[in-house]
Amino acid sequence: MIAYIEPYFLDNDADAASAATAAGKSTDAVSESLDIEGEILCGGATADIAGKDFGGMNCVKPLAVVRPVGPEDIAGAVKAALRSDQLTVAARGNGHSINGQAMAEGGLVIDMRSTAENHFEVGFLSGGGTAFVDVSGGALWENVLKRCVSEYGLAPRSWTDYLGLTVGGTLSNAGVSGQAFRYGPQTENVTELDVVTGNGDFVTCSEMENSELFFSVLGGLGQFGIITRARVLLQPAPHMVRWIRVVYAEFDEFTRDAEWLVSQKDESSFDYVEGFVFVNGDDPANGWPTVPLHPDHDFDPTRLPQSSGSVLYCLELALHYRDSDSNSTVDKRVDRLIGRLSFNEGLRFEVDLPYVDFLLRVKRSEEIAKVNGTWETPHPWLNLFVSKRDIGDFDRTVFKELVKNGVGGPMLVYPLLRSRWDDRTSVVLPEGEIFYIVALLRFVPPCAKASSVEKMVVQNQEIVQWCVKNGIDFKLYLPHYKSREKWIRHFGNRWSRFVDRKAMFDPMAILSPGQKIFNRAP
């Protein structure tokens, strides 16, 4: 590998040309040069493996893809980049970034999936007896779920909606789903990490040990280190879930009920609270048909008030229970909570299903999207955190006007509690205790023209620009900016801390160049 990347170490054209000849070595020779146990992929295969992502709007070619055996290989790749003038390193999980965040044009991409099975050990924290599992940063959450439940009857407390993501990938952003109002995001549910920093150091960190690195990496967008192991908190896994959807015509009533639910104590609310916006019409991808939970359920629009507008709102709820709980007991718990809500009568849908099936509910959508071709098309998604203060204005302008015809996929909106997020992590949030996550998850038909994707991207930009122009208190989630000025605005008064952390843990700006926050230092 050193021979292959030699042009990046040399100054004169003659030496570079000579080294370029060396680049023709076989992959075996390249691997030996790097002196790692894992696999090195060079040439045309790299673009197919790591040159694109789920967003489908960026395509760049890395110099090589490294499939490490363990953290020593990752540290070796980082150190090789450090010895060069311009090489960068990006950790890639399951390729689900939207805007090229896990890419490294002309650099080294670390395919973390090769480390997925490196760690899996359940234990208990000293003192409190809380269970945990040590898992690889390259492990998929869906596999962590299945193994924890099947082998130990335990499960992590906080999730994302889609579980085909790596542990390291979500922890580098936040990891949010309907459990976050109670347990916080996934970044709040880990107690220890193993990290390879941008200095090439392999470090174990926690709140008590190397704490600055620990909190830097959590939500750090891959800027400070590559997570190779995470200690994730567990709880007893329920057996079953009562999954419920209720419909609202008025946004004020929807938000009032959602905020009430997420503000209750653990035993006084559901175990999962989310929500979404949908079109008031029969469009199968955007409207009424997206709400029922079972083929036998019908959405009856005559149950809507005549004053209903262009869009409607749905609260999505879940209550956990065990096989030993009687149906009447579950019904009473649900009815006690549902009875406090002001949804439209006759527009309540519910099913019972196993806990694992509920958490893997998006897997079914993935299978459908792969069959109809929308899994492989571009996904110009937009994810934001919006303050409670401004969510009403956001609804009136964005939901009711700009996207009133839908986005070809879910339009999520539900409240979260700031007190469940540790300010010491690198995540930035709007002000106030209650804020909302908004996700416009656009799916593009296979027959769509490139111009239609461009229009979606432009509309996303218009939404962000509208937020800035009108003083909306918001932050992009899974952020992507192309200028230093916009990154400074994003981090606000946390920018100087972010820069200081970069200087400490990745001073040469080796890591995660696809985020476009810092330029590689020569």
Side-chain angles (χ1 to χ4, degrees):
M1 183 65 177
I2 295 301
Y4 189 79
I5 64 177
E6 194 72 24
Y8 293 84
F9 293 86
L10 303 176
D11 294 326
N12 63 73
D13 292 341
D15 286 343
S18 175
T21 302
K25 287 185 174 184
S26 68
T27 301
D28 289 342
V30 170
S31 301
E32 291 174 5
S33 300
L34 186 58
D35 192 26
I36 69 169
E37 292 185 56
E39 182 182 9
I40 306 294
L41 299 175
C42 308
T46 61
D48 295 333
I49 297 170
K52 57 184 179 179
D53 59 16
F54 186 67
M57 296 172 290
N58 295 270
C59 186
V60 301
K61 185 178 178 181
L63 179 69
V65 174
V66 179
R67 287 177 169 164
V69 170
E72 296 82 5
D73 286 354
I74 298 171
V78 172
K79 290 175 181 177
L82 282 168
R83 294 192 295 271
S84 76
D85 281 338
Q86 53 185 298
L87 272 181
T88 55
V89 176
R92 176 186 172 92
N94 210 21
H96 273 265
S97 58
I98 299 300
N99 291 292
Q101 291 97 326
M103 295 181 183
E105 185 171 9
L108 307 178
V109 173
I110 311 296
D111 186 349
M112 295 298 293
R113 293 174 299 180
S114 64
T115 68
E117 303 299 323
N118 284 10
H119 299 280
F120 190 91
E121 183 176 356
V122 170
F124 294 88
L125 298 178
S126 59
T130 302
F132 67 81
V133 61
D134 284 338
V135 293
S136 168
L140 294 181
W141 281 108
E142 64 182 65
N143 294 333
V144 174
L145 166 68
K146 293 174 183 177
R147 192 166 177 186
C148 283
V149 172
S150 64
E151 296 182 18
Y152 297 95
L154 299 169
R157 308 187 305 178
S158 188
W159 296 98
T160 53
D161 287 336
Y162 175 63
L163 302 188
L165 308 171
T166 59
V167 171
T170 64
L171 293 180
S172 296
N173 289 282
V176 179
S177 186
Q179 307 85 9
F181 78 94
R182 178 170 296 169
Y183 298 111
Q186 291 181 314
T187 49
E188 298 299 311
N189 290 274
V190 293
T191 62
E192 186 176 280
L193 301 172
D194 284 344
V195 174
V196 174
T197 71
N199 294 314
D201 299 323
F202 177 64
V203 183
T204 298
C205 56
S206 67
E207 184 177 5
M208 305 302 295
E209 178 185 9
N210 300 308
S211 60
E212 189 68 25
L213 177 61
F214 180 71
F215 290 114
S216 297
V217 168
L218 293 174
L221 307 177
Q223 292 300 303
F224 312 110
I226 298 172
I227 299 170
T228 63
R229 177 187 64 88
R231 179 161 290 179
V232 180
L233 295 176
L234 301 175
Q235 64 181 1
H239 298 132
M240 298 291 292
V241 169
R242 176 72 58 86
W243 185 11
I244 304 166
R245 287 177 176 174
V246 290
V247 173
Y248 295 77
E250 300 298 331
F251 189 66
D252 289 346
E253 294 179 350
F254 166 81
T255 55
R256 183 170 58 248
D257 282 356
E259 291 173 13
W260 179 79
L261 286 170
V262 301
S263 300
Q264 300 305 300
K265 294 181 179 180
D266 290 359
E267 298 77 16
S268 302
S269 187
F270 289 96
D271 298 292
Y272 163 101
V273 177
E274 286 199 11
F276 60 91
V277 184
F278 63 101
V279 173
N280 187 6
D282 59 2
D283 181 341
N286 299 289
W288 305 326
T290 63
V291 177
L293 294 168
H294 190 276
D296 292 340
H297 296 169
D298 291 319
F299 189 104
D300 183 0
T302 65
R303 293 285 191 165
L304 294 168
Q306 292 185 349
S307 60
S308 298
S310 59
V311 296
L312 303 169
Y313 312 91
C314 179
L315 262 184
E316 183 172 69
L317 313 165
L319 186 74
H320 299 166
Y321 64 95
R322 304 191 67 79
D323 286 340
S324 57
D325 294 330
S326 66
N327 288 337
S328 61
T329 298
V330 177
D331 290 343
K332 288 178 181 178
R333 290 173 62 192
V334 169
D335 291 342
R336 177 174 55 83
L337 293 169
I338 286 287
R340 297 287 300 269
L341 307 183
S342 302
F343 60 92
N344 293 109
E345 291 295 330
L347 293 175
R348 168 180 169 181
F349 307 90
E350 58 186 75
V351 294
D352 293 271
L353 71 169
Y355 173 70
V356 171
D357 290 354
F358 172 73
L359 289 180
L360 294 175
R361 62 196 180 280
V362 181
K363 193 74 173 178
R364 174 60 179 160
S365 299
E366 175 187 0
E367 294 168 353
I368 294 172
K370 286 181 176 178
V371 170
N372 64 30
T374 57
W375 195 256
E376 302 301 327
T377 58
H379 301 94
W381 290 5
L382 178 64
N383 297 270
L384 311 94
F385 295 136
V386 180
S387 69
K388 173 184 175 180
R389 182 197 74 187
D390 295 322
I391 195 64
D393 288 340
F394 191 94
D395 168 62
R396 283 185 286 274
T397 297
V398 179
F399 291 144
K400 287 188 170 74
E401 294 296 333
L402 296 180
V403 297
K404 64 182 180 181
N405 296 319
V407 297
M411 299 190 291
L412 305 182
V413 56
Y414 57 92
L416 300 166
L417 303 179
R418 186 186 179 96
S419 57
R420 297 290 190 268
W421 299 60
D422 195 317
D423 284 341
R424 292 173 292 181
T425 70
S426 294
V427 182
V428 288
L429 303 171
E431 294 299 322
E433 168 62 359
I434 294 178
F435 64 97
Y436 281 75
I437 184 169
V438 174
L440 305 181
L441 308 182
R442 304 174 187 267
F443 281 81
V444 179
C447 59
K449 296 180 180 179
S451 59
S452 66
V453 177
E454 293 171 2
K455 289 179 181 178
M456 295 176 188
V457 173
V458 169
Q459 187 179 66
N460 287 344
Q461 295 169 346
E462 290 175 347
I463 292 170
V464 173
Q465 290 167 2
W466 174 83
C467 288
V468 173
K469 181 179 179 181
N470 290 275
I472 300 298
D473 184 10
F474 82 103
K475 300 293 182 184
L476 287 188
Y477 176 50
L478 312 177
H480 176 69
Y481 292 109
K482 294 183 179 180
S483 72
R484 174 64 64 92
E485 176 188 3
K486 291 180 179 179
W487 278 114
I488 292 174
R489 185 187 68 212
H490 172 77
F491 284 103
N493 60 12
R494 303 289 178 86
W495 173 247
S496 60
R497 184 183 72 174
F498 199 81
V499 171
D500 290 344
R501 288 174 165 179
K502 188 69 170 179
M504 187 181 305
F505 301 118
D506 185 24
M508 303 300 289
I510 298 291
L511 299 176
S512 293
Q515 295 283 5
K516 294 181 170 57
I517 305 175
F518 300 99
N519 293 323
R520 169 71 160 90

